[in-house]
Amino acid sequence: MSFFKSLNFPVKLAISLSILAILAMRINQKDDAIMSNILAQFHASAWLYATLLMLCQMILLSARWQMLLNLGKRHLTFPQALQINLTSQLANLVLITSIGGMVARIALSVQHGATIFKSLIATIFDRLMTLSALLVLSAAFLPNLWHYVDNQTFHTLSVYISAFIVMMFLFAPLFLNLVVFRLPQTARLKGRYRYGLRYLRVLINNPALCAKLALLSLTAQGAFFLAVFALVHSSGAGIDFWQMMIVLPVISLVAALPISIGGWGVREGAYVYGLGLLGVPLEISFLISVQVGLVSMLTTMLGGIPSLMTSDFNRESLRLTGRRLTDTKHRI
């Protein structure tokens, strides 16, 4: 296990650098005058709008985190939830060799009175809500993609998206309710493990709460897509918002895969391919994706650094929480 963990960072780094290098070499084959014209179309106002919209996304995701962690027992005020979300985003950016963002989020939640098992379940559910929102949006705009790809690609993409939606919204809840919660081993659990499973049962069997969480997730993704469009519009890509939405949810799904450093490389490849289907030149698509990455980093630092400086979170709490998570995994 330690061997694979030691390979995690070099492999991700190799993937990021390889994809970026391939795209850079393809761009260098073009006329330098094209790049100059593209760079001349960028505006600081687009970065401002994109940053503000991504901050709105963080606010909405923080409201989602507050609702998740306060189910059953109140632990967080909204400012505290916002602080945890921003700090975990910053940790995820800085601690690129670990699951830093997840551990930071759990550590801060534990400091506010939540159990580590409840924080772990809430963190996983929080990530799944983002994935679910992207899947729903991808499915909603998928029919329009038929005009831009061949039949085989469209069929394959439809099958994968449909399978994930069925697994996420139908199979997983049924499996938990009909199998996991009824296992004899589950009934024998005590203490924090029993409380954690009871929290999960209440969570997935609360349609009103799930609807609110889904609405927050969709709205947060909408804010992010508007931020991306601000950058797309300023680049002179020549597509409107609804055209961009044909491919952007799927692009975001691919870019979210945890196989690179901070999404770099995978995100650029996804944007180049996806926007290329709409007729956006490679150079413009590449620079749009780079801007999305840079604005995301800027937004995280603008919100995360003040939050980190005013929180009680420190490296020792990160280390202890990581060790406790490992112990919990072994016991389960």
Side-chain angles (χ1 to χ4, degrees):
M1 182 66 69
S2 60
F3 172 73
F4 290 108
K5 286 183 178 180
S6 65
L7 283 179
N8 186 37
F9 175 72
V11 170
K12 287 185 176 182
L13 181 62
I15 292 173
S16 292
L17 293 179
S18 297
I19 298 177
L20 289 173
I22 292 171
L23 294 174
M25 286 189 293
R26 292 183 62 185
I27 289 174
N28 288 337
Q29 296 174 7
K30 304 292 183 180
D31 189 349
D32 290 340
I34 297 177
M35 294 298 297
S36 299
N37 291 335
I38 294 172
L39 291 170
Q41 297 183 62
F42 291 153
H43 302 286
S45 59
W47 276 56
L48 176 61
Y49 295 144
T51 301
L52 291 175
L53 285 164
M54 287 190 186
L55 283 172
C56 288
Q57 181 194 25
M58 286 192 175
I59 290 172
L60 291 166
L61 294 179
S62 299
R64 185 177 73 185
W65 180 246
Q66 182 191 17
M67 292 176 63
L68 277 171
L69 210 65
N70 282 350
L71 178 64
K73 182 179 180 181
R74 183 175 178 83
H75 297 286
L76 300 176
T77 63
F78 177 75
Q80 290 170 337
L82 180 62
Q83 184 183 62
I84 290 175
N85 190 42
L86 289 168
T87 304
S88 66
Q89 290 290 338
L90 182 63
N92 195 49
L93 179 65
V94 175
L95 303 172
I96 58 177
T97 59
S98 68
I99 53 171
M102 177 179 174
V103 175
R105 180 184 295 260
I106 294 173
L108 283 169
S109 300
V110 170
Q111 287 181 1
H112 284 89
T115 65
I116 192 168
F117 205 49
K118 178 180 181 179
S119 302
L120 175 61
I121 293 173
T123 299
I124 294 173
F125 200 85
D126 184 76
R127 299 291 177 89
L128 290 177
M129 290 301 298
T130 296
L131 178 60
S132 299
L134 290 174
L135 285 170
V136 169
L137 290 169
S138 296
F141 288 94
L142 185 62
N144 296 319
L145 189 60
W146 180 78
H147 301 287
Y148 298 93
V149 296
D150 58 81
N151 290 336
Q152 181 61 41
T153 301
F154 181 79
H155 175 74
T156 302
L157 193 59
S158 299
V159 169
Y160 276 109
I161 290 177
S162 300
F164 277 115
I165 288 177
V166 170
M167 184 173 63
M168 188 83 66
F169 295 104
L170 182 62
F171 177 76
L174 287 176
F175 180 76
L176 287 171
N177 278 313
L178 299 179
V179 179
V180 175
F181 294 150
R182 298 188 180 187
L183 287 173
Q185 294 87 343
T186 301
R188 289 197 293 267
L189 289 176
K190 300 183 182 299
R192 57 188 177 183
Y193 303 117
R194 186 179 183 85
Y195 171 74
L197 282 176
R198 186 171 70 243
Y199 166 76
L200 179 59
R201 183 185 289 111
V202 172
L203 182 59
I204 66 172
N205 291 303
N206 190 332
L209 177 63
C210 289
K212 292 177 183 178
L213 294 172
L215 180 61
L216 281 172
S217 301
L218 291 169
T219 308
Q221 289 304 317
F224 174 75
F225 292 154
L226 287 172
V228 173
F229 182 68
L231 301 173
V232 170
H233 181 70
S234 71
S235 70
I239 58 175
D240 60 31
F241 178 78
W242 298 112
Q243 285 178 294
M244 180 195 71
M245 286 298 295
I246 295 174
V247 296
L248 190 55
V250 178
I251 289 175
S252 300
L253 270 174
V254 175
L257 294 174
I259 59 174
S260 63
I261 301 299
W264 289 98
V266 174
R267 176 180 54 244
E268 283 64 42
Y271 271 83
V272 166
Y273 178 78
L275 294 179
L277 294 175
L278 305 179
V280 180
L282 184 150
E283 295 80 12
I284 294 180
S285 301
F286 179 76
L287 291 175
I288 288 172
S289 67
V290 170
Q291 287 185 95
V292 171
L294 292 175
V295 173
S296 297
M297 292 175 62
L298 175 64
T299 305
T300 299
M301 288 187 290
L302 286 175
I305 291 177
S307 295
L308 186 61
M309 293 176 64
T310 56
S311 72
D312 297 328
F313 178 71
N314 52 50
R315 183 175 292 273
E316 181 64 16
S317 65
L318 175 67
R319 185 185 66 81
L320 291 175
T321 301
R323 189 172 65 184
R324 290 171 66 186
L325 281 173
T326 302
D327 292 342
T328 298
K329 179 180 69 173
H330 288 320
R331 290 171 184 171
I332 294 175

